[in-house]
Amino acid sequence: MSLDPYAVLGVDKSAGAEDVKKAYRKLALKYHPDKNPGDKRAEEKFKEVSEAYDILSDPAKKSAYDSMGSERFYTHGTDGSGYSGPDFSSLNIDLEELLKSFMGGKGFGGSGGFDFQTKTRSRSRSGRGSWSSPRPVKGQDYDYTLRLGFREAALGTKVSLSIDVPKPCAQCGGTGVTSAGGGMRSCPACGGQGQVKSANELSATVPAGTVDGQKLRLAGKGGPGENGGPAGDLFLIVRVDPDPDFKRVRNDLHLDKRISLYTAVLGGQTEVKTLTGRSSLKVPPGTQNGGRVRLKGMGIAPAKAKAGDLIVTFKVVLPGKLEGEGKELLERLSRIAPIEGLDSDA
């Protein structure tokens, strides 16, 4: 993360070397870990003021920062490789040594102060350690919306994807700058960004029972790592289209089935849709409108969970307006098999 060294040290751009050193000394002593044991906030502040001083105490770094601005300075630095700041892997800098550095001791970054670039205190018995190499940094994770049909998500499927992801620019090696005529210029291939978008052809397996909004992780398919770090991950955010027939409730499927009045009263056979085709279903005599039948195990069957059921709800369809003999037959039926209590206020 980049910072504004002038704001951190509380100096303006016209401040001289002594003003910068004075501001750093005051803040470094205030936030030094030896004076603030266990205080993480003070530790972070100490890192910030030390990094700010590392930039402003070095004429080359200060000039690069002033001309490039914060973002490009941290991306490209003074040599095109980017500024990574002092190494704080140990953060055990001797307070006495820090004080001596402002009284004629060895310069910070070569110009006054503790030199983070060559020495940092380790936890060894001697109290000395060497500068560690840049830490590996994991690449950026990316999200990608994957739209699936209802049955694809329910049954599982394999998908092929072509996703544009940033990759290091081959022309500049990811630095964002190239040499031209003995000088440096912004890389024309990537526009100084150090990265270019490249189509990444992928395949992924969507497990059965995947739900809307679920994230599927493709490890190592995200952005490239830095300093030998691992690549980031690609997360597929699944969006499942609704189905015109089925409604999912956990792993159960609900389906409405229209049947005639005659089938409801007399019973019979009908066919219902399933995830994989059709199935014959017996309708018991006297089935009421809204009556349900449960088909065990014919719902959604995730790989590591019990399969759900298919629950069929009957919707009884009445005949149209009856005339003549049909009407007479129905009136006769109403007298033979009356339905009690429906027309009362009870």
Side-chain angles (χ1 to χ4, degrees), residues 11-285:
V11 297
D12 57 38
K13 289 191 175 183
S14 63
E18 285 304 314
D19 292 329
V20 170
K21 180 189 287 189
K22 185 183 297 184
Y24 167 70
R25 176 174 57 186
K26 179 181 177 180
L27 293 171
L29 295 178
K30 177 181 178 180
Y31 294 113
H32 193 282
D34 287 354
K35 296 184 68 176
N36 302 274
D39 188 339
K40 292 294 184 183
R41 184 175 180 277
E43 180 178 310
E44 291 303 315
K45 291 292 292 183
F46 180 78
K47 291 179 180 180
E48 289 181 7
V49 299
S50 299
E51 183 172 319
Y53 186 63
D54 183 44
I55 297 171
L56 298 185
S57 63
D58 186 313
K61 294 176 184 176
K62 182 178 184 300
S63 176
Y65 181 90
D66 290 344
S67 61
M68 291 182 176
S70 178
E71 183 176 350
R72 285 187 56 77
F73 174 76
Y74 275 84
T75 303
H76 304 303
T78 57
D79 59 358
S81 61
Y83 174 76
S84 58
D87 179 28
F88 296 106
S89 57
S90 297
L91 198 66
N92 197 16
I93 301 161
D94 198 339
L95 179 59
E96 181 181 353
E97 199 162 355
L98 179 65
L99 288 168
K100 287 180 180 178
S101 71
F102 291 101
M103 296 186 295
K106 194 170 183 178
F108 183 108
S111 61
F114 189 79
D115 186 358
F116 284 94
Q117 294 188 340
T118 57
K119 290 287 176 76
T120 181
R121 300 283 285 184
S122 70
R123 298 188 184 277
S124 64
R125 182 174 299 176
S126 66
R128 293 290 181 183
S130 59
W131 177 269
S132 62
S133 59
R135 296 181 181 179
V137 178
K138 181 183 176 182
Q140 185 176 348
D141 293 339
Y142 295 111
D143 290 340
Y144 178 85
T145 300
L146 176 64
R147 186 162 292 280
L148 294 175
F150 185 90
R151 285 174 170 78
E152 289 179 309
L155 297 172
T157 187
K158 289 187 176 181
V159 294
S160 296
L161 309 170
S162 180
I163 301 174
D164 287 340
V165 295
K167 291 186 177 181
C169 174
Q171 184 164 328
C172 65
T175 64
V177 293
T178 56
S179 59
M184 304 296 290
R185 66 184 181 94
S186 179
C187 175
C190 64
Q193 298 301 309
Q195 295 180 331
V196 292
K197 285 190 175 182
S198 177
N200 199 4
E201 303 296 331
L202 303 171
S203 62
T205 298
V206 178
T210 296
V211 299
D212 184 69
Q214 185 171 334
K215 278 190 173 185
L216 305 178
R217 175 173 172 260
L218 300 184
K221 301 302 182 181
E226 298 179 10
N227 305 322
D233 301 328
L234 175 64
F235 290 91
L236 304 180
I237 304 174
V238 179
R239 293 301 176 193
V240 180
D241 293 333
D243 189 89
D245 300 311
F246 297 110
K247 179 181 178 182
R248 179 175 181 173
V249 179
R250 293 180 290 277
N251 288 332
D252 290 336
L253 291 177
H254 289 255
L255 174 70
D256 289 342
K257 176 60 180 178
R258 287 158 55 92
I259 59 174
S260 72
L261 170 66
Y262 316 114
T263 303
V265 173
L266 301 175
Q269 292 289 128
T270 189
E271 279 194 346
V272 293
K273 293 180 179 179
T274 68
L275 282 176
T276 56
R278 303 183 74 86
S279 179
S280 179
L281 177 64
K282 183 178 179 180
V283 181

